[in-house]
Amino acid sequence: AKLEATGGVPRSADGHGVVLGTSQDGGAAAIDLFIEPQCPHCGQFVAEYGDAIAKNIAANRLAVTVRPLTFMDYGSDDYSARATNAIFLVAADRAATPALVWKFIQGLYIRLMSTASLADNDGIAKVANDVGVPADTVNRIAAAEPQVNGNVVSDGNLSVMDDYGVERATPTVYDTVGKDQVDFDDPEWLDQLVK
């Protein structure tokens, strides 16, 4: 993962993921988490496991590379591409921490699940503001300032899924240490991963 000299949260080496947390001792678990910002299953996954994931990131027990996809962006609204760009904007903020980026992702899903409508840029910016993203970056999100091309990110992450040999579906959790897809239908999956 390369960290820009300006601070913030690093991107994955391929540029298509945001890396939350580090395995300090080299023994920590590491996962790639493939999500689609419009996907209600992803919203349920984040609602169920989001806080536990946050705790494990904070404790240096888990590194999560968030890899957004935009395949639900058919039709007129490009919400997933805009939300993806916003995630990368938050990560690029000098003051960003893994906890803040994850809280923003949680906030996006909370809004999606509670309103059942796709946020416009101001709506995405409001989520950022509510979780404590610095004002400059909130304004960048509202203005849809490009940080990444969401569809290029998505294509890159679909290629990663193909390389891993996993189905192109979200949410998908891939254990990058054990090189295997994680079955998160097992409620113990996270405990087993970070043990």
Side-chain angles (χ1 to χ4, degrees), residues 58-109:
N60 293 320
R61 282 195 298 265
L62 180 67
V64 179
T65 300
V66 178
R67 293 186 172 277
L69 304 170
T70 62
F71 60 82
M72 293 178 76
D73 269 353
Y74 33 70
S76 56
D77 199 312
D78 55 349
Y79 171 77
S80 294
R82 291 185 292 111
T84 295
N85 184 60
I87 291 166
F88 280 83
L89 276 169
V90 171
D93 189 292
R94 269 190 292 274
T97 60
L100 181 66
V101 175
W102 186 247
K103 195 172 274 210
F104 176 60
I105 292 168
Q106 287 180 295
L108 287 175
Y109 282 117

Side-chain angles (χ1 to χ4, degrees), residues 8 11 29 31 46 59 75-76 90 95 124-125 127 135 167 178 181-182 193:
R11 286 195 198 178
I31 58 173
V46 169
S76 56
V90 171
I124 296 174
V127 171
E167 192 188 340
Q181 186 166 354
V182 175
L193 206 59

Side-chain angles (χ1 to χ4, degrees), residues 1-4 10-19 32 65 67 88 157 160:
K2 49 180 186 289
L3 183 54
E4 313 301 309
R11 286 195 198 178
S12 56
D14 59 21
H16 305 306
V18 173
V19 182
D32 277 13
T65 300
R67 293 186 172 277
F88 280 83
N157 288 330
V160 173

Side-chain angles (χ1 to χ4, degrees), residues 12 14-18 32-35 65-69 84 88 150-164 166 168:
S12 56
D14 59 21
H16 305 306
V18 173
D32 277 13
L33 174 60
F34 297 88
I35 54 171
T65 300
V66 178
R67 293 186 172 277
L69 304 170
T84 295
F88 280 83
N151 298 319
V152 171
V153 166
S154 184
D155 288 346
N157 288 330
L158 288 171
S159 297
V160 173
M161 296 187 96
D162 293 346
D163 291 345
Y164 288 163
V166 298
R168 292 178 160 199

